[in-house]
């Protein structure tokens, strides 16, 4: 009898989580109910499962609304009915047209109108819903004649008064109004809560026909969904057999490119994987991924295949990944095994510039009716909750800021704030709005609207109305099509090298960028600014602590730097064992044999599988169950307990002492959740090494590419500095040399117009295109004649010295530009200039200092180009020592002058501390530590140069200065201003990079709890 139930997936309307809705219904003795969320099916699949657990018959449908106005309810009689509604809603989502007042002619859908909006004539499948408070109206002649087409309509939106209040708050948020200004039409009736059937039916006891009609709908709706059947596109060819044959053929062709023919281990691995892939019917999944990669290669694009897919030798032979799983001892079971019915997806990265082209290919090739992005539910978060709820209670902005930015313990305690807190906390984890998954693509065998309506977000690719977790549950394996700037760095570098030097670098040949002597020196010294994943201060410090001089150590470093591994203490223990190989014992011979590369530490997820297999004797597939369960991604607790019991039984059978097995299981349990996929680390390491290779051998081109891809960890200024340190000559933007992006001529680097923060991109692109078409600009007058530009934009170009080719000073150029432009209307400018000859003006000679240019640059670029920041300091002091000398000053106090690059906030048990990264007068990077007691008296005061006093600590080759005192150093007065109050405001525009960290403090050495010696029995 409950044909109109809302869950909290009726966004900003419903208040009941799905499980609570079904649980409450079960407690009321409900035997059948329909989920009809507003304009969505997001919850229907979880709803079906929850109903099955409670032995309730699930009906699925949609409540159609347009601009908050109710239209009708649709209930699917079967799967065809759901598809009909999905396609109907999709068409209107895409077109933006309002939903019609009368439902379309559905074939397998029951439609229910309200008493107020029912059309005069009803089709066979259409009914009028009568609420309990409307039964009295049925005595009138107007409605009595329509009783034969009536059903019980008992909407469910909340379960108690608090939820009803919450519903009203959600409606106020949705309509962007104050709670006090809501009208009754804005929210549901206060009767829309679930009643037991015995409390509901008496209202209709005089109208048995209405009860019978309702029961008929319930009996006729039989929507069944098979969760066990894969929904992805089944075959790349026409059949499973053809797919296997094609995959086999491609695998062996790829094998010849990757391996020597006599490599029996690799051959055996190929045969094993092909067998598993076929048994699990995933040949098509591999082939579709291969097809996407082939298209990418045909376009000359670079891709990186990473994640657990790199554990597959088939993926390696097909060119999906560039990681040899045999070289790195990667287990295929980590990616796919017979116990794992749903595979993890391939993660494939492209340059952020090329990803959309790949997406267009996928949608075109596999059908726009069968391809869509995963959706995602964006939940109410702490800050947004207090802002949104506080706003509907009428709180002013200042109070909203205070509520959002502070923990609840610091909130005021008045009655309004208490209400905001009370209802705000109810909203935690509630869906707020739908969005697009960053990279997950679904490719369906059937039209995807069989399962969901689609929405079209601004990015132009349709999304389904459920998230990746539901997608997996209902039988979809997504394809992750990602983008990142690191690939853009590499790709653009290769193109720049060919253009600038005439050298073609085959960067896809990973053999050139895995073991280069000079690259290894750079790596060990942490000279990796600009390189993907290994440029952050923390990573560069780790590389130096490890003296990381080869690819395999880089793979480990890429894993242990991850927050989970570091937070578990494994990073600290790994550094110790790497530098002190004689000061620990392997816990068991298996640890030495299987984890010797990582000194007996389970750094990688694959290591859990290794220990479970080689110490415990479990099959690798069971080891993966153990890993997944412990990392929170896995199966039920029962499955984990079963594998655990089997582990101990196998250990006993192999004769291992029980205490030893218990300790090893404890270690597995302790670190499985923290460990990182080795294949993922290896993929990152390959890309990092490719970046490093280009940085080492083609530094100017590489740094230019980094600048053009808008950097990475640091701001543009840092990469410009690195380009200068690499041998590049940095030039300000020039109208005759610069393009929108930064341009390279030999070793001359001309900054692009994109870096002029106040210049419109339209003007920047126009300068570039006009110059390509009509040649270089001959004079300021010629530029104004050709480029439609206002006086303010002209000033930006003049102040950045973009017309220096004219030989005139900035002051002279400003006078000419003003004379030419101030008296012209934009629509007449070109006409007047062409008709009148250029006048020669007698201009005064006005002296201008180098420092004025530097301050212009800070204002327009945020950093100086004409000189360094050190040249702008009032002091001539440059420090007692330089960064390159710090290693030899262990335990000594030093005084240095340095420019702040970045600082990272780090939690400790005593409060917040910071790690700082700086450059000295010579341009060398070094690092500092600022503990809470020092920060209390000597805090950071924004970007700029500081005088530093501190003690040097050299930790495994890596020096850090623990700061005791510091002071920010003043610039010279800005000579462009006469008024003293303005002479230091430009200095405040100097930037710094600040990184917050939200994690628990790292453990101390004694807290790591990893024994360094064998157990004694």
């Amino acid at each position: 009898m409950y044909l109109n139930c809302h869950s909290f997936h009726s966004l900003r309307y419903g208040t009941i989580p799905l499980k609570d809705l079904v649980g409450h219904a079960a407690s009321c003795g409900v035997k059948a109910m329909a989920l009809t969320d507003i304009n969505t099916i997001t919850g229907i699949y979880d709803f079906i499962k929850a109903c099955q657990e409670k032995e309730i018959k699930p009906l699925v449908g949609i409540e159609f609304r347009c601009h908050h106005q109710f239209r009708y309810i649709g209930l699917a009689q079967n799967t065809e009915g759901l598809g009909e509604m999905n396609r109907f809603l999709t068409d209107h989502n895409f077109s933006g047209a309002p939903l019609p007042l009368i439902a379309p002619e559905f074939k397998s859908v029951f439609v229910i109108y309200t008493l107020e909006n029912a059309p005069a004539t009803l089709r066979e499948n259409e009914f009028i819903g009568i609420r309990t408070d409307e039964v009295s109206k049925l005595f009138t002649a107007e409605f009595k004649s329509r009783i034969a087409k009536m059903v019980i309509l008992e909407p469910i939106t909340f379960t108690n008064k608090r939820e009803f209040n919450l519903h009203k708050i959600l409606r106020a948020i949705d309509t962007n109004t104050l709670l006090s200004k809501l009208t009754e039409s804005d929210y549901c009736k206060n009767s829309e809560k679930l009643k037991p059937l015995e409390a509901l039916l008496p209202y209709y006891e005089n109208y048995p026909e209405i009860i019978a009609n309702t029961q008929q709908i319930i009996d006729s709706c039989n929507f069944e969904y098979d969760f066990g059947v894969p929904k992805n596109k089944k075959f790349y060819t026409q059949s499973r057999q053809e797919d296997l044959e094609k995959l086999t053929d491609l695998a062996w062709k790829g094998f010849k490119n990757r391996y020597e023919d006599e490599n029996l281990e690799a051959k055996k691995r190929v045969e094993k994987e092909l067998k598993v892939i076929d048994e699990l019917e995933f040949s098509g999944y591999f082939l579709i991924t291969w097809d996407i990669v082939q298209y990418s290669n045909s376009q000359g694009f670079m891709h990186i295949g990473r994640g657990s897919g790199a554990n597959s030798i088939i993926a390696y032979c097909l060119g999906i990944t560039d990681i040899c799983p045999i070289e790195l001892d990667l287990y295929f079971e980590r990616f796919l095994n017979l116990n794992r019915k749903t595979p993890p997806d391939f993660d494939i990265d492209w340059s952020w510039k090329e990803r959309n082209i790949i997406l267009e290919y996928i949608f075109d090739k596999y059908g726009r009716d069968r391809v869509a992005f995963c959706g995602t539910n964006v939940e109410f978060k702490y800050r947004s909750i207090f802002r949104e709820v506080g706003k509907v209670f009428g709180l002013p902005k200042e109070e909203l800021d205070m509520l959002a930015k502070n923990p609840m313990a610091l909130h005021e305690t008045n009655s309004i704030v208490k209400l905001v807190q009370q209802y705000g906390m109810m909203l935690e984890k509630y869906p707020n709005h739908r969005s697009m998954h960053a990279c997950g693509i679904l490719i369906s065998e059937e039209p995807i609207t069989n399962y969901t309506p689609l929405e079209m977000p601004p990015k132009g690719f349709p999304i389904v109305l459920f998230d990746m977790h539901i997608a997996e549950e209902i039988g979809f394996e997504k394809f992750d099509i990602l983008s990142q700037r690191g690939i853009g760095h590499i790709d653009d570098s290769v193109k720049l090298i060919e253009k600038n030097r005439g050298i073609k670098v085959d960067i896809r040949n990973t053999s050139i960028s895995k073991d280069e002597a000079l690259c290894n020196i750079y790596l060990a010294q942490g000279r990796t600014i600009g390189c993907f994943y290994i440029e952050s201060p923390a990573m560069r410090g780790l590389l130096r602590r490890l003296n990381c001089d080869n690819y395999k150590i880089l793979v480990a470093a890429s894993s242990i730097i991850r927050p989970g591994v570091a937070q578990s203490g494994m990073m600290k223990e790994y550094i110790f064992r790497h530098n002190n190989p004689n000061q620990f014992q392997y816990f068991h011979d298996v640890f030495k044999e299987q984890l010797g590369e990582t000194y007996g530490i389970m750094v990688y997820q694959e290591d859990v599988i290794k220990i479970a297999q080689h110490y415990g004797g479990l099959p690798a597939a069971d080891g993966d169950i153990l890993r997944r369960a412990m990392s929170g991604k896995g199966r039920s607790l029962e499955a984990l307990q079963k594998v655990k019991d089997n582990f101990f039984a196998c250990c006993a059978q192999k004769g291992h002492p029980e205490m030893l097995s218990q300790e090893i299981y404890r270690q597995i349990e302790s670190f499985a959740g923290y460990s990182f996929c080795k294949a993922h680390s290896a993929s990152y390491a390959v890309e990092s090494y490719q970046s490093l290779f280009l940085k080492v051998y083609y530094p100017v081109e590489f740094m230019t590419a980094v600048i053009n891809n808008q950097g990475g960890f640091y701001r543009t200024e840092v990469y410009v500095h690195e380009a200068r340190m690499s041998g590049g000559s940095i030039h300000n933007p020039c109208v005759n040399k610069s393009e929108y992006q930064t341009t390279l001529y030999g070793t001359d680097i001309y900054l692009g117009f994109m870096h002029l923060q106040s210049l419109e991109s339209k003007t920047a692109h126009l300068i570039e295109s006009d110059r390509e078409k009509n040649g270089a600009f001959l004079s300021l007058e010629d530029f104004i004649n050709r480029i439609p530009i206002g006086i303010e934009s002209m000033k930006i170009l003049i102040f950045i010295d973009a017309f220096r080719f004219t030989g005139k000073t900035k002051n002279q150029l400003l006078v000419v530009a003003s004379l030419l432009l101030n008296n012209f209307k934009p629509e007449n400018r070109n006409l007047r200039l062409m008709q009148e000859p250029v006048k020669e003006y007698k201009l005064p000679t006005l002296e201008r200092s180098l420092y004025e240019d530097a301050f212009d640059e800070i204002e327009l670029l945020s950093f100086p180009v004409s000189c360094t920041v050190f040249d702008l300091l009032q002091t001539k002091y440059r420090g007692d020592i330089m960064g390159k000398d710090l290693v030899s000053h262990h335990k000594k106090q030093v005084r240095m002058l340095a420019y702040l690059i970045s600082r990272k906030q780090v939690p400790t048990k005593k409060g917040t501390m910071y790690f700082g990264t700086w450059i000295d007068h010579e341009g060398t990077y070094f690092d500092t530590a600022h503990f809470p007691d020092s920060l209390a008296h000597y805090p950071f005061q924004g970007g700029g140069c500081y005088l530093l006093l501190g003690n040097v600590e050299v930790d495994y080759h890596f020096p850090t200065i623990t700061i005791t005192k510091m002071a920010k150093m003043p610039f010279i007065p800005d000579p462009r201003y006469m008024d003293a109050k303005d002479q230091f405001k430009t200095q405040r525009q100097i930037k710094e990079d600040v990184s917050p960290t939200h994690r628990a403090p790292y453990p101390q050495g004694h807290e790591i709890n990893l024994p360094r010696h064998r157990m004694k029995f």
Side-chain angles (χ1 to χ4, degrees):
M1 304 297 153
Y2 306 90
L3 304 183
N4 185 205
C5 301
H6 304 112
S7 76
F8 64 3
H9 288 298
S10 290
L11 299 179
R12 301 187 177 197
Y13 190 98
T15 64
I16 318 172
L18 271 171
K19 284 196 173 180
D20 293 355
L21 174 65
V22 176
H24 192 56
S27 69
C28 289
V30 172
K31 296 302 178 186
M33 65 189 300
L35 182 67
T36 54
D37 278 319
I38 297 170
N39 292 348
T40 188
I41 54 77
T42 304
I44 65 169
Y45 297 104
D46 284 342
F47 172 73
I48 291 168
K49 285 189 169 183
C51 283
Q52 288 170 346
E53 287 176 13
K54 300 292 185 180
E55 296 184 348
I56 294 173
K57 180 178 181 179
L59 284 67
V60 300
I62 299 173
E63 180 179 306
F64 294 95
R65 289 193 176 221
C66 186
H67 305 304
H68 310 302
Q69 300 301 309
F70 179 92
R71 289 287 191 261
Y72 27 79
I73 296 161
L75 293 173
Q77 297 176 29
N78 47 40
T79 54
E80 288 77 13
L82 180 65
E84 284 185 272
M85 289 190 289
N86 290 342
R87 282 182 274 282
F88 167 64
L89 191 54
T90 297
D91 289 343
H92 287 275
N93 287 342
F94 283 16
S95 69
L99 290 169
L101 294 171
I102 298 175
E105 196 168 343
F106 292 127
K107 294 178 181 177
S108 301
V109 176
F110 289 116
V111 176
I112 303 173
Y113 296 94
T114 59
L115 203 57
E116 295 85 3
N117 72 348
T121 304
L122 294 172
R123 302 182 184 107
E124 186 181 347
N125 65 320
E126 295 182 334
F127 296 85
I128 301 171
I130 299 298
R131 301 164 67 114
T132 53
D133 58 3
E134 294 172 331
V135 172
S136 59
K137 296 180 181 180
L138 300 184
F139 288 106
T140 65
E142 178 187 356
F143 298 121
K144 190 177 287 188
S145 63
R146 311 193 78 181
I147 288 175
K149 292 292 288 183
M150 289 183 179
V151 295
I152 297 172
L153 182 64
E154 184 64 8
I156 310 297
T157 303
F158 58 92
T159 60
N160 54 46
K161 186 175 180 183
R162 282 185 68 198
E163 283 185 2
F164 178 58
N165 293 336
L166 182 66
H167 163 74
K168 291 171 76 172
I169 289 169
L170 286 168
R171 299 308 302 130
I173 291 171
D174 193 44
T175 54
N176 194 26
T177 191
L178 293 174
L179 192 59
S180 58
K181 290 190 176 181
L182 285 177
T183 65
E184 285 190 5
S185 64
D186 291 323
Y187 53 87
C188 74
K189 296 187 177 183
N190 61 9
S191 60
E192 292 192 10
K193 62 180 181 180
L194 192 64
K195 304 178 184 73
L197 199 59
E198 56 269 22
L200 176 65
L201 290 181
Y203 286 94
Y204 302 91
E205 62 186 359
N206 294 325
Y207 303 97
E209 203 170 357
I210 294 178
I211 297 174
N213 288 342
T214 310
Q215 189 62 49
Q216 180 198 340
I217 288 179
I218 291 171
D219 294 341
S220 300
C221 287
N222 292 293
F223 181 89
E224 294 181 355
Y225 191 86
D226 191 341
F227 289 89
V229 174
K231 306 303 186 297
N232 271 46
K233 181 173 171 58
K234 287 184 180 178
F235 312 121
Y236 176 75
T237 59
Q238 299 300 315
S239 68
R240 173 181 172 181
Q241 186 57 37
E242 277 188 69
D243 274 3
L244 177 60
E245 288 170 4
K246 184 168 184 65
L247 182 65
T248 303
D249 181 55
L250 290 170
W252 289 118
K253 283 179 180 174
F255 178 89
K256 291 179 181 177
N257 294 327
R258 297 291 199 182
Y259 296 101
E260 298 291 331
D261 194 51
E262 61 270 13
N263 192 326
L264 297 179
E265 183 183 3
K267 280 186 174 180
K268 188 177 177 182
R269 176 78 172 253
V270 169
E271 290 166 356
K272 168 191 165 185
E273 288 193 17
L274 284 171
K275 186 172 183 293
V276 173
I277 292 167
D278 179 47
E279 283 189 46
L280 292 174
E281 299 185 37
F282 291 135
S283 297
Y285 186 82
F286 272 78
L287 287 170
I288 291 170
T289 308
W290 165 82
D291 174 65
I292 296 167
V293 166
Q294 286 302 109
Y295 173 76
S296 171
N297 293 341
S298 74
Q299 299 300 301
F301 298 162
M302 181 179 178
H303 77 278
I304 302 286
R306 58 177 175 84
S308 57
N311 288 60
S312 166
I313 198 170
I314 301 298
Y316 181 55
C317 290
L318 264 57
I320 296 170
T321 66
D322 276 320
I323 305 299
C324 172
I326 292 176
E327 177 191 357
L328 293 173
D329 195 21
L330 302 178
Y331 282 33
F332 179 58
E333 288 78 8
R334 168 63 184 85
F335 179 62
L336 200 60
N337 60 69
L338 295 175
N339 286 341
R340 188 172 185 170
K341 302 303 181 187
T342 55
D345 36 60
F346 283 111
D347 295 339
I348 307 181
D349 292 323
W350 277 271
S351 165
W352 60 284
K353 298 176 182 178
E354 293 161 352
R355 177 174 179 252
N356 273 13
I357 300 172
I358 298 296
L359 291 174
E360 289 287 354
Y361 171 76
I362 295 170
F363 276 84
D364 289 341
K365 172 75 181 276
Y366 296 101
R368 291 182 178 265
D369 62 332
R370 284 168 165 76
V371 183
F373 266 91
C374 272
T376 180
N377 284 319
V378 180
E379 297 173 343
F380 282 98
K381 300 292 195 305
Y382 185 88
R383 287 193 171 197
S384 67
I385 286 174
F386 286 119
R387 286 196 191 282
E388 297 273 23
V389 178
K391 197 191 302 179
V392 304
F393 277 99
L395 296 180
K397 183 180 182 302
E398 297 74 26
E399 286 192 55
L400 295 178
D401 290 342
M402 185 276 294
L403 293 175
K405 293 177 181 177
N406 291 299
M408 286 175 59
L410 299 180
H411 290 181
E412 292 183 26
T413 55
N414 62 60
S415 59
I416 297 296
V417 169
K418 284 184 177 178
L419 284 172
V420 172
Q421 291 175 340
Q422 176 186 336
Y423 288 105
M425 288 301 94
M426 288 177 70
L427 281 180
E428 261 199 317
K429 300 296 181 185
Y430 272 46
N432 183 11
H433 60 87
R434 275 186 297 275
S435 185
M436 179 188 233
H437 189 278
C439 57
I441 298 281
L442 306 181
I443 302 178
S444 174
E445 174 69 18
E446 298 180 14
I448 209 156
T449 48
N450 284 1
Y451 311 104
T452 171
L454 302 174
E455 289 180 350
M456 185 65 78
K459 290 189 177 179
F461 295 107
I463 63 171
V464 301
L465 302 194
F466 46 73
D467 63 22
M468 57 180 277
H469 303 293
I470 294 176
E472 183 174 334
E473 284 178 18
I474 68 175
F476 283 104
E477 290 90 43
K478 63 183 171 64
F479 297 79
D480 273 352
I481 309 298
L482 304 109
S483 69
Q484 48 148 289
R485 296 191 184 276
I487 294 178
H489 298 169
I490 295 169
D491 212 24
D492 286 0
S493 295
V494 171
K495 291 170 184 172
L496 265 176
I497 293 163
E498 185 172 2
K499 180 181 176 184
N500 197 44
R501 301 198 194 192
I503 298 172
K504 287 188 177 183
V505 179
D506 181 11
I507 200 64
R508 289 181 178 84
N509 177 5
T510 53
S511 64
I512 69 170
S513 54
K514 272 191 182 178
D515 191 25
E516 291 284 329
L518 190 53
C519 290
N520 288 340
I521 292 171
Y522 271 58
L523 196 60
Q525 294 175 351
R527 294 167 61 185
T528 53
I529 297 286
C531 297
F532 171 76
Y533 199 70
I534 56 172
E535 63 165 339
S536 71
M539 191 65 179
R540 290 186 298 106
L542 177 59
L543 295 174
R544 293 181 69 177
R545 286 183 175 95
L546 296 175
N547 192 29
C548 177
D549 60 357
N550 65 70
Y551 168 71
K552 285 199 173 181
I553 297 176
L554 178 59
V555 174
S558 298
S559 183
I560 63 175
I561 194 69
R562 300 283 293 186
V565 184
Q567 201 166 317
S568 73
M570 289 302 91
M571 179 170 74
K572 185 173 285 190
E573 184 64 18
Y574 181 93
I575 294 168
F576 172 84
R577 294 188 179 192
H578 179 78
N579 286 283
N580 302 283
N582 299 319
Q583 294 184 31
F584 75 94
Q585 295 174 333
Y586 285 98
F587 204 64
H588 185 275
D589 287 344
V590 167
F591 281 69
K592 185 173 185 179
E593 293 161 9
Q594 299 300 324
L595 308 183
E597 191 179 288
T598 55
Y599 312 107
I601 299 171
M602 282 178 269
V603 167
Y604 308 115
Q605 291 172 350
E606 288 84 350
D607 295 341
V608 173
I609 303 174
K610 287 180 182 179
I611 296 303
Q613 181 178 5
H614 294 283
Y615 175 82
L618 294 182
D622 280 3
D624 188 57
I625 293 176
L626 199 63
R627 177 198 64 77
R628 281 173 63 79
M630 288 180 174
S631 62
K633 295 180 179 178
R635 295 165 159 58
S636 63
L637 291 173
E638 293 80 12
L640 174 59
Q641 188 62 46
K642 184 178 177 183
V643 175
K644 179 179 180 180
D645 293 343
N646 192 25
F647 173 81
F648 283 112
C650 289
C651 289
Q653 194 173 354
K654 289 171 75 80
H656 295 312
E658 186 178 351
M659 280 182 61
L660 178 63
S661 299
Q662 289 280 1
E663 171 57 25
I664 287 175
Y665 188 83
R666 185 197 68 79
Q667 290 183 30
I668 292 173
E669 207 167 30
S670 298
F671 306 125
Y674 293 116
S675 55
F676 192 46
C677 172
K678 185 176 184 181
H680 209 85
S681 294
S683 304
Y684 274 5
V686 167
E687 187 177 347
S688 299
Y689 225 121
Q690 288 172 329
S691 297
L692 182 63
F693 177 86
L694 294 168
K695 177 182 172 68
V696 168
Y697 290 101
Y698 308 99
V700 179
E701 289 84 359
F702 178 73
M703 292 316 306
T704 302
V706 172
I707 293 167
N708 280 338
N709 280 273
Q710 298 168 46
F713 186 87
Y714 305 95
R715 62 190 183 275
T716 299
E717 175 188 4
V718 179
Y719 299 113
V720 171
H721 166 75
E722 190 70 8
R724 183 185 286 113
M725 295 293 289
S726 301
S729 299
I730 311 299
H731 301 274
N732 279 319
C734 168
V735 295
N736 274 340
K737 290 279 192 178
S738 293
E739 298 174 1
Y740 183 72
Q741 291 194 324
T742 295
T743 321
L744 182 62
Y745 303 91
T747 57
D748 290 314
I749 300 172
Y750 282 81
L751 295 177
F753 294 120
M754 64 186 284
H755 301 300
L756 292 172
Q757 298 162 4
S758 306
L759 187 69
E760 288 186 8
S761 60
K762 180 182 174 183
T763 302
H765 285 297
L766 192 58
I767 293 170
E768 184 181 343
S769 62
D770 185 273
R771 195 177 64 221
E772 287 177 6
K773 184 178 177 182
N774 300 312
F777 299 102
L778 304 176
S779 62
L780 183 73
E781 294 83 357
D782 181 41
F783 180 85
I784 293 172
N785 192 37
R786 288 160 55 179
I787 304 296
I789 192 169
I791 187 65
E792 292 306 315
S793 293
M794 277 301 298
K795 284 181 179 178
I796 293 168
L797 292 171
I798 289 170
F799 280 127
I800 204 62
D801 213 12
F803 294 99
R804 53 192 177 275
F805 71 92
T806 64
K808 293 183 173 71
T809 66
K810 291 182 181 180
N811 294 325
Q812 291 171 332
L813 291 166
L814 283 170
V815 171
V816 173
S818 298
L819 288 169
L820 288 170
L821 288 175
N822 282 348
N823 297 320
F824 288 102
K825 294 180 180 178
E827 62 268 22
N828 294 333
R829 182 188 298 114
N830 287 350
L831 180 65
R832 295 282 299 276
L833 286 172
M834 286 192 294
Q835 288 179 336
E836 296 179 3
V838 174
K839 295 179 181 177
E840 286 293 328
Y841 301 97
K842 188 171 182 181
L843 301 169
T845 302
L846 299 172
E847 293 300 323
R848 189 176 177 87
S849 74
L850 175 71
Y851 299 128
E852 286 181 88
D853 289 338
F855 281 108
D856 281 343
E857 290 154 4
I858 292 171
E859 210 161 79
L860 295 170
L861 297 168
S862 81
F863 56 89
V865 174
S866 303
C867 62
T868 73
V869 285
F870 294 96
D871 297 324
L872 299 176
L873 293 174
Q874 292 183 18
T875 180
K876 300 299 179 188
Y877 175 75
R878 295 294 180 262
D880 293 346
I881 67 166
M882 294 292 117
K884 66 178 186 295
D885 304 317
L886 284 173
V887 174
S888 60
H889 284 71
H890 182 48
K891 297 293 184 185
K892 295 179 183 176
Q893 187 179 77
V894 296
R895 192 171 65 150
M896 299 181 70
L897 188 87
Y899 180 54
L900 180 60
I901 295 299
S902 67
R903 57 186 167 108
K904 181 177 183 179
Q905 173 220 339
V906 177
T908 72
K909 292 181 179 178
K910 293 183 178 180
T912 295
M913 69 168 290
Y914 280 94
F915 287 111
T917 299
W918 312 74
I919 56 171
D920 63 21
H921 176 57
E922 294 177 346
T924 304
Y925 298 90
F926 67 92
D927 294 83
T928 56
H930 306 252
F931 288 96
D933 53 349
S934 167
L935 287 167
H937 298 98
Y938 304 101
F940 286 93
Q941 298 176 35
C945 292
Y946 288 72
L947 183 63
L948 306 172
L949 182 71
N951 300 303
V952 179
E953 298 286 337
V954 180
D955 181 34
Y956 303 116
H957 330 291
F958 177 61
T960 304
I961 306 173
T962 301
I963 297 299
T964 53
K965 294 181 180 180
M966 71 175 180
K968 189 173 178 180
M969 307 303 287
F971 277 10
I972 58 172
D974 188 338
R976 303 172 305 160
Y977 296 100
M978 299 301 292
D979 194 328
K981 69 178 175 59
D982 295 325
Q983 290 182 333
F984 294 94
K985 70 177 186 180
T986 310
Q987 182 177 2
R988 291 194 289 273
Q989 295 183 36
I990 292 289
K991 294 184 177 180
E992 58 171 334
D993 293 322
V994 184
S995 304
T997 306
H998 304 289
R999 60 163 174 80
Y1002 285 162
Q1004 301 299 308
H1006 66 280
E1007 298 173 315
I1008 294 173
N1009 202 20
L1010 183 67
R1012 288 179 181 164
H1013 301 284
R1014 286 176 179 254
M1015 294 181 74
K1016 294 180 180 177
F1017 299 101

